[in-house]
Structures are given as C-alpha cells and as structure tokens.
C-alpha cells in the first residue's frame, strides 16, 4: 500500500512538473507571437513612434510649443531641454479637426513625428495638437 501511494505521488509530481514546464514554454511562444502580431498591426503613426520600418532617425517629440515661425517651431520637451521642428505646408497638422500652422501657438502641447536631421532638429511628418490636460504619449521624444 505504501509503495502504491509513493509511486502515485512521484507520478503526480512528474506530471505536474511536465505540465508546468509545458505551460511556461507555451506562454513564452504565445507572448512572442502576440508581440509580433501587435507590431504587424500598428498604424503608420504608431510605426513612426516606434522608429519606422528600419528605425533610422525617426523621432516622436512631445512637449509644449515655446515659439513658432512660418516654417519651424521650438518645443519645450517634457523631460527638459528643447527641440527645433521644421514643417512645411504639406505637413499634416492634426487636432479634433484638421488644423493649419496658424493653430500652433506658444504654450500649445504637441506630439510630433518626423525625421531627425544631423544637427538634432527634426523635419515634421505630422504635428498633433494636444489639448491642455491631455494625457501625454510615451517619453518626451
């Protein structure tokens, strides 16, 4: 009787260990698959925020506009410092409704995606105006 109980306990422990190992292996594979599926389903703006297709020089800049002229603006970054942003008449300016460069005012919170230049400035591909008190996106840039 004791031999049967001991054998059953050993079998239960082995089966439990194998089930645990199998579950952990499945979870790792499932997490990797989910991550890949998520990355494949991101939108263009999200892809830019993550570094674009090849990750070369694409930035996400968030902060508050310090100053603006007809082709550039300076943004005070959330983590400190500032960033110069260049834009053109074809750069989308987004808000609840499509905006124009006239909607960009000092003190306006913005999220900008674009190509980083060798001098550290950024050529904007899009500018999103964020209302005061809006929850920010990610790190400052």
């Amino acid at each position: 009787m004791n031999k049967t109980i001991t054998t059953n306990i050993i079998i239960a422990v082995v089966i439990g260990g194998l089930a645990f190992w199998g579950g952990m292996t499945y979870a790792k594979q499932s997490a990797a698959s989910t991550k890949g599926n998520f990355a494949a389903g991101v939108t263009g703006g999200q892809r830019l925020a993550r570094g674009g297709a090849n990750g070369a020089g694409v930035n996400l800049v968030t902060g508050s506009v310090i100053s603006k002229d007809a082709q550039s603006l300076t943004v005070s970054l959330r983590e400190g410092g500032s960033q110069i942003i260049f834009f053109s008449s074809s750069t989308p300016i987004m808000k609840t409704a499509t905006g124009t460069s006239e909607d960009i005012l000092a003190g306006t919170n913005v999220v900008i995606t674009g190509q980083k230049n060798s001098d550290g400035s950024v050529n904007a591909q899009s500018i999103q105006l964020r209302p005061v008190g809006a929850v920010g996106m990610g790190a400052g840039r």
Side-chain angles (χ1 to χ4, degrees):
M1 182 87 164
N2 279 343
K3 190 174 181 179
T4 304
I5 293 174
T6 303
T7 302
N8 288 341
I9 290 173
I10 291 172
I11 290 172
V13 168
V14 169
I15 290 173
L18 288 173
F20 179 77
W21 175 80
M24 293 298 290
T25 302
Y26 175 78
K28 285 180 187 176
Q29 291 173 348
S30 179
S33 175
T34 301
K35 186 176 182 181
N37 290 340
F38 176 74
V42 296
T43 65
Q46 291 168 322
R47 194 172 299 109
L48 288 171
R50 289 183 175 85
N54 62 9
V58 178
N59 276 2
L60 177 68
V61 178
T62 62
S64 179
V65 175
I66 298 171
S67 64
K68 177 197 114 183
D69 62 30
Q71 299 169 352
S72 70
L73 56 122
T74 303
V75 176
S76 172
L77 303 174
R78 294 175 54 181
E79 74 275 5
S82 63
Q83 181 78 54
I84 296 172
I85 309 296
F86 294 105
F87 62 93
S88 69
S89 60
S90 65
T91 303
I93 311 290
M94 298 174 283
K95 58 181 186 176
T96 304
T98 301
T100 68
S101 65
E102 299 302 314
D103 295 316
I104 303 172
L105 304 172
T108 302
N109 291 318
V110 292
V111 176
I112 299 158
T113 57
Q115 295 290 332
K116 190 169 188 174
N117 299 316
S118 60
D119 66 357
S121 63
V122 173
N123 285 328
Q125 292 175 330
S126 72
I127 300 172
Q128 181 180 18
L129 305 177
R130 307 281 294 173
V132 174
V135 176
M137 293 176 49
R141 59 176 168 155

